[in-house]
Amino acid sequence: MNPGDRVRVERADQTYEGVLLPSTTAENLVVKLESGYNVGVDRDAASVEVLEADTYDVEGAQDAEGESAIEFDDDLPTISLISTGGTIASTVDYRTGAVTAQFDAEDVLRAVPDLAGRANYRGRVVANILSENMTPEVWQELARAVRDEIEAGADGVVVMHGTDTMQFTASALAFMLDTPVPIVFTGSQRSADRPSSDNVMNAVCAVEAAKSDCAEVLVCMHADEADERCALHRGTRVRKNHTSRRDAFETVGTKPLGEVDYESEEITFRREYAERGEADLALHDGLATDVSLVKFTPGTDPAMLETAANGAAGVVIEGTGLGHVNTDWIDTVEAVTDAGTTVVMTSQCLAGRVCDRVYDTGRDLLDAGVIEGEDMLPGTAKVKLMWVLENAEDPARAMREPLAGEIQAQSRPWT
């Protein structure tokens, strides 16, 4: 028997039927059930019957450069699957119970048989890391890989990424790439081997979004706890707001840009978006990596800002309310900006925009050289500052203007 076979597994008084998946150990079988959930079974304690061989199969082999090709159907669009690691590209090591990121793009296709027949797929592995290990250098490598895939004829790109830092990478690509096709990030909160895994629906909806007419950088994740629809978030407005829920991601400041219905595959959009083919493909991947994000809280010594800004090209401050810090910080802020460091103010509040013209502290900050970050999310502001310092003639002006949907015209309650 081989991965892709439909099997019946009997163990004691339990019977499972489904598709055999690759396993991290020789001692365990992993079977994807009809429900979409996976079950792990001790091989020695079970009897296995192959009901149908090669029910799901991925043709082709991965080459030395981390690319894989699959047999093509001329009637289907071509979607590039790019893996960076994370839970959607991971499984459980049954020896330890730990989740390990180890699947390449072909493994994901085997693990998610529902992707079959929806598109032609090209697989590419850019990294195999958990997202807490993501770096700006990998962002740049990923952006170049996406550019290459689109140049090679991909009608859309799906990036498989760990959820913890997905919003940062999505923001980075939104600034670095002008894209004529959809670029859709997806991941999962729970690995494919665990009950209630969200990887199947997220992957399927992401592929459908990548086939759509919305040529933007999107994040596609569960819209709620049910297995019914995925939300499509702009990469520069999304935030992971829960540690473990399947619907952990939210668009801050408004409703998600769109939704994908899992069963009907219908995609609906709430607002205007950049249409497929509207932009010419372009890559601007320069990043100033010496940019820090500093969070102000009561009692924080201004020396923290001084340390973060020492020799740095830029600093984003996450201030209170409308964009404030303790007045003891003002002199340090002015010294930092006088030394040539660009300082941008954002807010710890989840909604609303920075306005440093209301109170004395804010006006003093403006006089000290602070740039208002409008209603940008602090993390997005950091990524944007990294980008504008290398790509904009006037970074201060660019930080106040919307470049990739990161700044809204109005800030309103959305929940």
Side-chain angles (χ1 to χ4, degrees):
M1 60 182 175
N2 299 296
D5 293 348
R6 178 168 291 281
V7 298
R8 177 183 294 120
V9 179
E10 296 184 356
R11 181 187 62 179
D13 58 347
Q14 295 179 309
T15 300
Y16 306 102
E17 287 190 15
V19 178
L20 187 67
L21 301 181
S23 174
T24 59
T25 69
E27 294 79 21
N28 296 94
L29 300 172
V30 181
V31 179
K32 177 168 287 299
L33 307 178
E34 292 292 342
S35 64
Y37 298 147
N38 295 356
V39 61
V41 181
D42 187 329
R43 186 185 294 265
D44 292 337
S47 62
V48 183
E49 177 186 357
V50 177
L51 303 178
E52 185 179 355
D54 298 327
T55 303
Y56 295 99
D57 189 26
V58 178
E59 301 292 343
Q62 188 179 47
D63 64 25
E65 295 182 356
E67 296 185 8
S68 57
I70 299 159
E71 289 188 350
F72 277 64
D73 182 338
D74 291 338
D75 295 328
L76 293 175
T78 298
I79 302 299
S80 175
L81 301 178
I82 299 182
S83 177
T84 66
T87 304
I88 196 169
S90 69
T91 187
V92 171
D93 186 331
Y94 286 95
R95 295 166 298 176
T96 64
V99 175
T100 58
Q102 62 175 31
F103 281 2
D104 64 23
E106 282 192 345
D107 292 319
V108 174
L109 288 177
R110 292 191 183 99
V112 188
D114 300 52
L115 291 177
R118 297 176 184 273
N120 299 310
Y121 298 105
R122 286 175 49 85
R124 183 164 183 163
V125 179
V126 168
N128 193 11
I129 57 177
L130 297 173
S131 73
E132 57 266 32
N133 297 325
M134 188 59 63
T135 66
E137 290 74 23
V138 179
W139 295 345
Q140 292 170 314
E141 185 179 352
L142 176 59
R144 293 165 193 149
V146 170
R147 186 268 316 273
D148 293 345
E149 291 298 313
I150 297 172
E151 284 185 339
D155 298 302
V157 177
V158 173
V159 178
M160 293 166 285
H161 195 290
T163 60
D164 282 0
T165 64
M166 185 189 295
Q167 65 206 53
F168 294 92
T169 307
S171 289
L173 263 66
F175 294 119
M176 287 193 283
L177 283 164
D178 298 331
T179 178
V181 304
I183 300 170
V184 185
F185 281 76
T186 193
S188 61
Q189 289 285 81
R190 302 166 193 175
S191 68
D193 302 76
R194 302 221 184 257
S196 72
S197 174
D198 52 338
N199 76 324
V200 172
M201 191 173 97
N202 291 349
V204 167
C205 290
V207 166
E208 293 301 323
K211 293 158 54 179
S212 76
D213 195 42
C214 178
E216 297 194 18
V217 177
L218 305 170
V219 169
C220 178
M221 295 289 289
H222 264 56
D224 50 41
E225 279 286 76
D227 291 318
E228 297 176 353
R229 57 198 173 95
C230 278
L232 297 177
H233 310 275
R234 272 204 173 102
T236 55
R237 292 298 311 177
V238 68
R239 188 178 191 273
K240 184 176 181 179
N241 281 342
H242 196 281
T243 58
S244 59
R245 282 176 62 107
R246 300 191 300 176
D247 58 343
F249 284 78
E250 292 183 275
T251 293
V252 176
T254 187
K255 298 291 185 182
L257 181 63
E259 289 183 346
V260 182
D261 186 279
Y262 181 41
E263 184 174 351
S264 71
E265 301 171 10
E266 180 183 2
I267 302 178
T268 56
F269 290 97
R270 294 184 172 91
R271 295 181 299 283
E272 293 183 357
Y273 53 81
E275 295 185 2
R276 178 184 289 274
E278 186 176 298
D280 293 327
L281 178 64
L283 173 67
H284 312 279
D285 61 352
L287 292 174
T289 57
D290 52 344
V291 173
S292 298
L293 175 59
V294 176
K295 188 183 184 93
F296 168 79
T297 57
T300 304
D301 195 309
M304 178 177 288
L305 173 63
E306 188 175 5
T307 299
N310 184 25
V315 174
V316 174
I317 299 175
E318 191 174 326
T320 62
L322 292 168
H324 297 152
V325 292
N326 190 296
T327 54
D328 290 344
W329 279 47
I330 305 294
D331 290 342
T332 302
V333 170
E334 186 170 14
V336 165
T337 58
D338 286 347
T341 300
T342 301
V343 178
V344 177
M345 179 64 70
T346 62
S347 176
Q348 298 167 18
C349 299
L350 286 181
R353 66 200 321 109
V354 168
C355 183
D356 279 321
R357 295 170 175 81
V358 178
Y359 297 102
D360 288 343
T361 299
R363 290 192 290 271
D364 290 341
L365 284 167
L366 292 175
D367 290 340
V370 161
I371 300 166
E372 293 173 306
E374 303 296 335
D375 68 338
M376 279 187 290
L377 305 180
T380 299
K382 177 188 175 181
V383 175
K384 181 179 179 180
L385 183 56
M386 294 170 69
W387 187 84
V388 301
L389 287 171
E390 288 292 318
N391 295 277
E393 292 184 5
D394 185 347
R397 180 176 180 179
M399 288 302 295
R400 295 191 295 266
E401 296 179 343
L403 303 179
E406 74 281 5
I407 295 175
Q408 299 182 112
Q410 293 180 311
S411 303
R412 299 173 177 173
W414 81 101
T415 56

